[in-house]
Amino acid sequence: MEKLKVGIIGTGMAFERLHYPAYQELADKYEIVALCDPVPEKTRPWAQRLGLGEDAIYTDYRPLLTRGDINVFDIMVPIEQNFSVTEDVARAIAFQPHRAIICEKPLASNYEQARAHAELPRRYGVPIMIAENYRYNEEIKMIRAMVQEKKIGDVVYFIQNRVTCFPEEMLKNKFAREEWRQHPVFHGGVILDTGVHDIAALRCIFGAVDRLQAFGVPQDDDFAPYAVVNVNMRFKSGVTGQFTFYSAGKEMQRPLIGLRIFGTSGMIYWEERDCGTVNVAYNDGGSEQIPYRPQRGYYNELLNLYNFMMDKEPIEVTPEMEYGDAKTILDILRSIREDSIISVDKNNDFIPAYISAQQPVHFEFHHVKWQ
């Protein structure tokens, strides 16, 4: 089986805890051949672990882009650098066959860069996968299928309550300890960084967002401008609901509020990402508990990209799709600032445009709808 050779840009916690375990599990499909990080102390232990020499270590990603043996560039940098680094990589490998990019979410930290990021595949003819693991997680796909198959009848509304205590998390050996997360230079802070996962999941389940109105409780902490945001949402499918993201507190009672979807013949209840069960309760008194494997998104992301590169399936999460997720968070923040109702998506469909009129690409591309 052909292995894809990977160049890693950013060897921090996202690589260590999220991407690398998935690469290990898919060792028959991927081989890491180069590492880049501005801090050499981060890359050298990884090079030793992977059996790579000094010539495979970089402190500047630009020389890495001249290597002709790399099929996939996996970008894991602070959010404010996502667009600029991805654009540099896309420009360097423009219209070259059998090469692709992975970029972490959210794809950018403002409207302008998010829109420009969404246009990179069209501009440079480069396949780009956004590593939005919630869109690849088993439970989100299960819930989406339940909604589409009308397992609880026609969906009427939903509530989702997401609580995370960032002030406590930043004192532990977790992602919140990163300085750039504690004092972000991008608007929204943890609301954009973490809340975009929940928005991606909701958009995956219900589709494009028609309009929203949001309210926030201001705070002085750098990690987020609001301690909590409350959002009323209407999707183009007709589903309405409320999304709450509380970044500075705790939900002490179990079971958690979680995600609850109410339909004409029952409801779906998902407590949180790691619970391992989706609960379905029917109006006639029946119920089901459907198990899933938590946190399989990282594995499914890499498997999807590999299958795409082998011409077996399309990329599921493209910059064009992720633009909608990032825009929704930015629209939430805008709605709070302006105290207004915001129109979000213009239409339901989106066509990833990897083919340039000037130069064709040696891949088969597919029409993709908003999921």
Side-chain angles (χ1 to χ4, degrees):
M1 180 179 294
E2 179 184 354
K3 287 188 178 184
L4 297 176
K5 293 183 172 15
V6 182
I8 302 294
I9 301 177
T11 56
M13 201 173 290
F15 174 60
E16 175 189 358
R17 301 189 181 183
L18 308 181
H19 291 223
Y20 180 66
Y23 280 120
Q24 284 184 298
E25 197 171 352
L26 291 165
D28 61 327
K29 296 177 173 62
Y30 288 96
E31 178 185 0
I32 297 172
V33 298
L35 303 163
C36 176
D37 197 284
V39 182
E41 290 74 18
K42 289 184 179 181
T43 52
R44 288 200 175 90
W46 281 111
Q48 293 175 358
R49 185 172 180 176
L50 296 168
L52 302 177
E54 284 290 326
D55 59 344
I57 299 175
Y58 299 81
T59 55
D60 183 345
Y61 65 87
R62 292 170 185 82
L64 175 66
L65 307 182
T66 64
R67 291 182 52 151
D69 63 332
I70 295 177
N71 305 112
V72 177
F73 293 89
D74 192 351
I75 301 169
M76 290 164 280
V77 297
I79 290 171
E80 66 271 15
Q81 299 175 23
N82 273 345
F83 169 69
S84 60
V85 175
T86 305
E87 183 180 38
D88 285 346
V89 177
R91 185 187 299 112
I93 64 172
F95 302 106
Q96 296 181 22
H98 214 55
R99 307 190 90 177
I101 297 171
I102 301 172
C103 178
E104 265 292 339
K105 61 79 222 165
L107 75 177
S109 58
N110 57 58
Y111 286 111
E112 294 75 18
Q113 289 189 351
R115 180 66 264 177
H117 199 308
E119 295 171 354
L120 291 179
R122 180 193 306 273
R123 184 176 179 184
Y124 295 108
V126 176
I128 300 175
M129 184 193 76
I130 303 299
E132 174 45 77
N133 56 297
Y134 273 46
R135 282 185 174 272
Y136 283 99
N137 279 346
E138 289 183 2
E139 68 274 21
I140 301 303
K141 293 186 176 184
M142 287 170 53
I143 295 171
R144 178 181 63 186
M146 292 178 191
V147 169
Q148 291 177 342
E149 294 165 8
K150 298 191 175 184
K151 194 173 183 67
I152 57 169
D154 294 321
V155 172
V156 180
Y157 77 102
F158 73 91
I159 57 173
Q160 181 174 12
N161 193 57
R162 172 69 182 274
V163 179
T164 180
C165 188
F166 192 92
E168 184 176 282
E169 295 290 299
M170 64 193 287
L171 301 177
K172 301 177 181 179
N173 187 23
K174 296 189 175 183
F175 289 95
R177 77 176 187 183
E178 300 290 345
E179 185 73 15
W180 64 269
R181 285 190 164 98
Q182 295 179 17
H183 306 284
V185 297
F186 53 88
H187 186 60
V190 70
I191 298 170
L192 176 62
D193 187 14
T194 301
V196 75
H197 283 307
D198 303 289
I199 290 299
L202 290 174
R203 291 172 62 89
C204 184
I205 295 167
F206 299 124
V209 179
D210 182 17
R211 294 190 293 172
L212 62 81
Q213 184 172 25
F215 301 91
V217 176
Q219 64 177 13
D220 294 329
D221 299 87
D222 288 349
F223 67 84
Y226 308 103
V228 63
V229 296
N230 294 281
V231 191
N232 289 318
M233 307 177 72
R234 184 173 74 187
F235 288 79
K236 288 185 177 292
S237 60
V239 173
T240 65
Q242 184 181 62
F243 168 63
T244 298
F245 183 79
Y246 187 16
S247 64
K250 296 183 179 181
E251 184 178 359
M252 298 305 295
Q253 181 172 293
R254 290 280 184 167
L256 305 176
I257 295 173
L259 172 63
R260 300 171 187 246
I261 303 172
F262 297 81
T264 54
S265 60
M267 68 170 289
I268 298 168
Y269 169 54
W270 175 54
E271 184 177 6
E272 48 89 19
R273 180 185 64 178
D274 297 327
C275 68
T277 304
V278 175
N279 297 277
V280 184
Y282 299 99
N283 291 353
D284 62 7
S287 64
E288 292 183 79
Q289 291 73 46
I290 305 172
Y292 66 86
R293 295 173 296 174
Q295 299 202 47
R296 294 299 291 169
Y298 311 109
Y299 171 89
N300 291 332
E301 290 168 355
L302 295 183
L303 182 60
N304 174 226
L305 184 66
Y306 182 86
N307 287 337
F308 169 79
M309 297 291 278
M310 298 298 117
D311 293 323
K312 294 181 180 179
E313 63 186 26
I315 293 175
E316 291 185 26
V317 183
T318 63
E320 297 97 326
M321 179 180 291
E322 179 64 16
Y323 169 71
D325 300 340
K327 182 180 183 297
T328 302
I329 289 287
L330 296 173
D331 283 344
I332 289 170
L333 297 170
R334 177 185 162 201
S335 176
I336 297 171
R337 291 194 309 270
E338 298 179 359
D339 191 23
S340 62
I341 297 174
I342 304 294
S343 296
V344 183
D345 292 314
K346 293 182 179 180
N347 51 53
N348 297 339
D349 297 339
F350 217 99
I351 303 173
Y354 296 102
I355 300 177
S356 167
Q358 287 74 35
Q359 188 171 357
V361 182
H362 299 285
F363 294 115
E364 180 182 358
F365 300 99
H366 304 258
H367 179 85
V368 177
K369 290 187 176 182
W370 285 111
Q371 299 294 323

